[in-house]
Structure formats: C-alpha cells, structure tokens
C-alpha cells in the first residue's frame, strides 16, 4: 500500500505570483478550500512571475525553497501578507521571512544565489503560458481554467462545484 495520494485526488493548480495583491486577496479562498477539503483536494502552487514585478521571479524561487524545507504554503502566505514590503526590500525580505518562519534562512540566501529552483519556476511559467494563463491568480481544476486576475467573485463556489463533482467520481 502506498502513502501517495490516490489517483482520484483532485488537483487544484494555483498559478500565483508573490508580488500580486490579487493573489493576496485569494488567500482567504485558498484557506477555506484547505479547511473544507483537507487532503481530499491537492492544492498545488504553480509559479507565474510577471516582468512588471521585479522581485516576483526571486520570490517564486524562494517559495520553492520553502516547499523543499516543508513550509511552502506558510511561506507563500507570509510573503503575500506583506507584498508592499517585498516591493520595497526585495531579496533580503524573502530571506528574512524564511528566518521568521524558522526555516534555514542561510539556505534560502544560497538558493537565491545559486538558482537551484530556476528550472521549476521556468517550467511552471512556460506551462502557464501554454494553457493560456495571462494573470494571477489563475486556477486549473478538472481541466477547467478559472481566471481570478480580473475578479475573484464566484470562483471559490465554482472550484467547490468542480471538486465535489470530481470527488463524487464524475469527470
């Protein structure tokens, strides 16, 4: 018997950018989805850094280091909660947040210097472009893309509707 999630566990890809105030707004919905579904719905962070935000690519790499250290969503929430500070301070802020969460801040600094997570971020961004992601947040569940960059209105209800259908065995 495997400890891996069942092949039937629906996946919600969350295309996010850590300098995006709309992504910060979406946190409430993501928390509610995690509370409602727990392990029955896999929320998967996907990166879509945009050129208009000069620290977004470094922030995506830092988020991947947080995932590697076991605190990915905690880190994402901490950075998104202080977007304006990221705008002002850049990479030193990313390392400081890691330390504040009890993560290995020195390892974060090294990861940002050596670029060990660049390929993951690049691959996410390329896949996002290929499926039509143009802004963040964008969600993909059950083959349906939902764009939250223009409005969050009704998205959580639509995600829940799709997740419930998938969990019930519908396609």
């Amino acid at each position: 018997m495997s400890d891996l999630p069942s092949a039937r566990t629906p996946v919600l890809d969350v295309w996010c950018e850590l300098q995006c105030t709309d992504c910060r707004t979406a946190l409430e919905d993501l928390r509610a989805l995690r509370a409602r579904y727990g392990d029955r719905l896999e929320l998967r962070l996907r990166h879509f850094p945009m050129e208009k935000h000069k620290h977004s690519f470094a922030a995506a790499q830092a988020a991947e280091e947080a995932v590697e250290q076991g605190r990915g969503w905690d880190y994402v929430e901490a950075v998104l909660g202080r977007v304006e500070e990221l705008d002002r301070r850049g990479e030193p802020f990313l390392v400081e947040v890691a330390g504040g969460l009890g993560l290995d801040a020195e390892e974060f600094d090294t990861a940002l210097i050596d670029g060990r997570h660049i390929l993951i971020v690049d691959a996410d961004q390329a896949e996002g472009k290929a499926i039509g992601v143009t802004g963040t947040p964008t969600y993909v569940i059950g083959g349906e893309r939902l764009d939250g960059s223009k409005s969050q209105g009704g998205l959580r209800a639509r995600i829940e509707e799709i997740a419930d259908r998938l969990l019930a065995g519908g396609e």
Side-chain angles (χ1 to χ4, degrees), residues 82-122:
R82 297 163 62 190
V83 168
E84 295 80 8
E85 200 167 345
L86 173 57
D87 290 345
R88 283 192 315 276
R89 297 186 46 219
E91 289 185 24
F93 169 75
L94 296 170
V95 174
E96 179 183 297
V97 169
L101 290 172
L103 299 171
D104 185 340
E106 190 173 307
E107 198 60 32
F108 266 76
D109 194 37
T110 302
L112 290 171
I113 292 167
D114 70 21
R116 68 183 74 158
H117 302 295
I118 286 174
L119 293 178
I120 293 169
V121 175
D122 283 346

Side-chain angles (χ1 to χ4, degrees), residues 7-137:
R8 296 180 54 99
T9 301
V11 174
L12 172 63
D13 281 328
V14 181
W15 300 87
C16 184
E17 199 241 39
L18 296 186
Q19 264 187 284
C20 172
T21 54
D22 290 333
C23 289
R24 175 175 53 202
T25 303
L27 283 176
E28 183 180 328
D29 286 342
L30 294 176
R31 286 183 193 113
L33 290 166
R34 285 199 314 257
R36 177 174 174 169
Y37 294 103
D39 291 341
R40 296 179 308 132
L41 177 66
E42 180 185 349
L43 269 69
R44 191 165 53 186
L45 176 65
R46 305 300 299 272
H47 304 287
F48 201 76
M50 293 180 273
E51 288 181 20
K52 68 181 180 178
H53 294 134
K54 67 181 180 178
H55 304 298
S56 63
F57 196 80
Q61 292 177 74
E64 279 303 310
E65 182 60 29
V67 168
E68 197 164 285
Q69 292 189 30
R71 301 277 306 272
W73 281 108
D74 293 338
Y75 186 80
V76 165
E77 288 191 23
V79 172
L80 282 173
R82 297 163 62 190
V83 168
E84 295 80 8
E85 200 167 345
L86 173 57
D87 290 345
R88 283 192 315 276
R89 297 186 46 219
E91 289 185 24
F93 169 75
L94 296 170
V95 174
E96 179 183 297
V97 169
L101 290 172
L103 299 171
D104 185 340
E106 190 173 307
E107 198 60 32
F108 266 76
D109 194 37
T110 302
L112 290 171
I113 292 167
D114 70 21
R116 68 183 74 158
H117 302 295
I118 286 174
L119 293 178
I120 293 169
V121 175
D122 283 346
D124 276 2
Q125 192 172 41
E127 184 180 338
K129 287 178 181 177
I131 65 168
V133 174
T134 57
T136 58

